[in-house]
Amino acid sequence: MTQRFRSYIDGQWVEGADSAQDENPSDLASPVGEYAAVDAAQAQAAIEAAARAQPAWGLTSPQQRADALDFVGSEILARKEELGRLLAREEGKTLAESIGEAARAGQIFKFFAGEALRIPGEKLASTRPGVDVEITREPVGVVGIIAPWNFPLAIPAWKIAPALAYGNAAVFKPAEIVPGCAWALAEILSRAGLPAGVFNLVIGSGRVVGQALVDDRRVDALTFTGSVPTGNGLLRQAAARGLKIQLEMGGKNPLVVLADADLDKAVEIAVNGAYFSTGQRCTASSRLIVESAVHDEFVARVGRRLAALKVGDALESGVDIGPVASAEQMQTNLSYIGVGRDEGAELLYGGEELELRTRGHYLAPTLFAAQPQHRIAREEIFGPVAAVIRADDYDHALQLANDTEFGLCAGICTTSLKYATHFKRHAQAGMVMVNLPTAGVDPHVPFGGRKASSYGPREQGRYAVEFYTTVKTAYTLA
Ligand code: TXE
């Protein structure tokens, strides 16, 4: 029987106005299920329920919130294999990567269960005699959550968990192509002892349901991860109505490889960062900037490594790279491969769709030798496609690394303390990696970027408190 993923509004599972298929990108002949997309009126009902439930939830004991989040985290961790399987079928990352992501989502709920009990405040001496000054943090209210498809459990987790921990109500809109993971998360949350309306899931399109979250004045804050054009559109609308907003958008993350690097390690770091999770990570190392002295050897070794990678069904054992997540993303990837060729970038490896046992969106890992001005070296592609760029020396590599509109993550492979230290200081990015892939972060520390990559306070770790709370300064004369 086809599984049907429904939305969750005001403590009830609801049917949608429209139905659509939930595809399995590894095997288009066996879809994951179907989903019921809600309409704008249903999204407004979810916002209404959240607005009604939030004041009481914001005043609950932090222990009650901690217990609810801990329950969710424990269940996700206990069921990580099963949830990982669903994720692998729906989004297409390999089973090992998917189980890892499910575990990460569980850990995030556990982390914020603890944070619910550690909401910070301050007491300062007043400049006036006899007066006390207290600074406290209160929930921001109703939080709208708009999530992308590339981390369908972890990204919703790192938005839902802090929203609830700090006493907010949440209305969560997942990306259209991953309704199953969203439903699975909501199903667990529906049994966590939350009062009706505190958490709502609205499955539907960005244009209708996402837009309803932006338009509705009962939404007090909006957190978004997705593409630059959508994010910038939301930012303009948020500014027009004074909506608190946080945006995590694209990246074109550089990985610098210096001549003094351990080349075998650098190749592993580059291949992991650029191609794992099918390159569909905002922190992917899509620009490999390699010092001239080792450039050719590096390219040859990356080529040998790519030739050994197995592309295939996300659930099959031994597969290193799953399918591209959707036909639309495949189209984007292929069109960029065409752009690269037309611009005169040299296609070194891959570049073609693969026909495998099952019909799916399979793309060979692709590497171009590019010039810094090529579009494939400047624009986010979001697939298993990387550009290698030659640098004369460290200074040139740093200049190339920073020559981008984005600033999410930047990496360097070097054995030199001097260059590593200089790079950490001068890379224009929110996150810097030394001898590590640009993708792959810890859950308990801030995540986010600079320049066109991000807007607003950082996500994750205790820095999440900035977005999900509002500060009150109280003066008392006893
Ligand atoms: O993103 P969108 P898509 C980039 C990546 C990818 C491209 C397209 O380059 O190829 O974006 O992916 C919702 N009002 N990234 O189409 O459209 C939408 O329903 C309100 C990078 O998935 O930005 C989904 O829930 N909401 C990124 C979410 O926004 C709207 C991760 C993201 O969709 C909306 C994902 C609207 N008008 C994609 N339109 C990263 N770097 O992490 C859409 N949405």
Side-chain angles (χ1 to χ4, degrees):
M1 211 183 84
T2 308
Q3 194 167 6
R4 190 167 166 83
F5 304 118
R6 292 181 297 163
S7 291
Y8 184 69
I9 298 174
D10 202 11
Q12 305 290 325
W13 292 100
V14 300
E15 263 308 323
D18 250 335
S19 275
Q21 198 165 78
D22 182 10
E23 268 190 3
N24 170 357
S26 296
D27 182 0
L28 299 175
S30 59
V32 181
E34 59 180 26
Y35 65 91
V38 301
D39 60 19
Q42 288 171 300
Q44 284 154 8
I47 297 166
E48 162 77 34
R52 225 180 310 115
Q54 192 280 321
W57 176 247
L59 295 173
T60 49
S61 153
Q63 189 64 56
Q64 189 181 336
R65 303 201 295 271
D67 290 347
L69 295 177
D70 191 60
F71 169 91
V72 176
S74 296
E75 179 154 340
I76 294 174
L77 286 170
R79 292 174 50 202
K80 66 180 184 199
E81 273 90 12
E82 173 205 341
L83 293 167
R85 220 181 140 76
L86 170 65
L87 198 168
R89 285 177 67 216
E90 189 173 57
E91 196 268 352
K93 63 182 69 162
T94 64
L95 187 57
E97 290 170 334
S98 298
I99 293 171
E101 180 179 338
R104 171 60 58 97
Q107 288 155 356
I108 290 168
F109 274 97
K110 292 268 187 188
F111 175 85
F112 282 106
E115 287 303 279
L117 298 167
R118 284 190 289 267
I119 299 178
E122 270 187 282
K123 193 158 182 175
L124 295 182
S126 168
T127 54
R128 287 168 285 172
V131 173
D132 266 347
V133 188
E134 282 169 336
I135 301 153
T136 52
R137 289 190 175 266
E138 295 183 359
V140 73
V142 174
V143 177
I145 296 173
I146 300 181
W149 46 261
N150 60 329
F151 283 91
L153 289 176
I155 292 180
W158 81 52
K159 294 177 186 295
I160 296 166
L164 301 183
Y166 297 120
N168 303 288
V171 182
F172 163 42
K173 194 209 91 63
E176 290 87 324
I177 64 169
V178 287
C181 285
W183 168 84
L185 258 186
E187 197 282 320
I188 298 171
L189 279 150
S190 76
R191 291 183 283 102
L194 303 170
V198 166
F199 170 78
N200 304 272
L201 167 67
V202 284
I203 299 176
S205 77
R207 212 171 20 82
V208 176
V209 177
Q211 193 60 46
L213 291 178
V214 189
D215 290 341
D216 199 309
R217 290 187 171 271
R218 291 169 297 186
V219 173
D220 300 290
L222 186 72
T223 174
F224 168 88
T225 301
S227 66
V228 174
T230 305
N232 285 339
L234 296 180
L235 179 58
R236 280 192 291 277
Q237 297 176 63
R241 82 157 174 89
L243 169 67
K244 184 174 188 179
I245 192 164
Q246 174 186 63
L247 306 169
E248 288 300 342
M249 301 178 284
K252 194 73 189 176
N253 310 288
L255 176 73
V256 169
V257 178
L258 294 186
D260 66 25
D262 176 327
L263 215 53
D264 281 334
K265 282 192 191 146
V267 167
E268 233 15 75
I269 288 166
V271 169
N272 174 321
Y275 299 103
F276 286 8
S277 296
T278 324
Q280 297 168 157
R281 296 185 284 191
C282 46
T283 47
S285 319
S286 44
R287 288 187 300 143
L288 308 173
I289 299 169
V290 185
E291 204 172 343
S292 222
V294 292
H295 177 277
D296 295 352
E297 178 60 21
F298 174 84
V299 166
R301 288 199 207 180
V302 168
R304 285 201 290 278
R305 186 72 178 86
L306 293 185
L309 289 179
K310 186 170 173 201
V311 178
D313 188 317
L315 291 180
E316 220 173 276
S317 72
V319 162
D320 301 296
I321 298 185
V324 170
S326 67
E328 204 182 338
Q329 186 61 53
M330 178 63 109
Q331 216 31 63
T332 304
N333 299 344
L334 291 174
S335 99
Y336 270 111
I337 290 169
V339 167
R341 283 196 169 110
D342 294 347
E343 283 182 320
E346 186 190 350
L347 181 61
L348 299 170
Y349 298 98
E352 75 279 349
E353 272 187 275
L354 301 175
E355 284 193 16
L356 304 181
R357 201 172 37 80
T358 51
R359 198 164 62 84
H361 306 302
Y362 297 108
L363 182 63
T366 300
L367 183 66
F368 277 101
Q371 297 300 319
Q373 72 278 7
H374 287 152
R375 279 181 61 203
I376 55 159
R378 305 200 76 79
E379 298 172 20
E380 184 179 52
I381 300 173
F382 220 57
V385 184
V388 61
I389 303 167
R390 192 183 285 272
D392 302 335
D393 53 19
Y394 168 75
D395 290 332
H396 186 211
L398 176 64
Q399 180 252 313
L400 290 169
N402 286 335
D403 178 21
T404 166
E405 64 171 311
F406 296 110
L408 190 56
C409 194
I412 189 167
C413 293
T414 180
T415 50
S416 154
L417 181 61
K418 178 178 130 193
Y419 290 134
T421 307
H422 190 274
F423 190 78
K424 279 192 278 185
R425 172 71 187 82
H426 295 277
Q428 293 164 3
M431 296 174 289
V432 180
M433 306 287 180
V434 178
N435 296 322
L436 286 167
T438 53
V441 296
D442 284 2
H444 64 302
V445 289
F447 177 95
R450 298 181 184 176
K451 296 157 94 178
S453 289
S454 303
Y455 180 87
R458 289 285 187 268
E459 300 198 82
Q460 302 211 62
R462 61 188 172 79
Y463 285 70
V465 78
E466 211 47 64
F467 179 73
Y468 292 97
T469 64
T470 179
V471 164
K472 181 177 276 173
T473 312
Y475 298 84
T476 310
L477 178 60

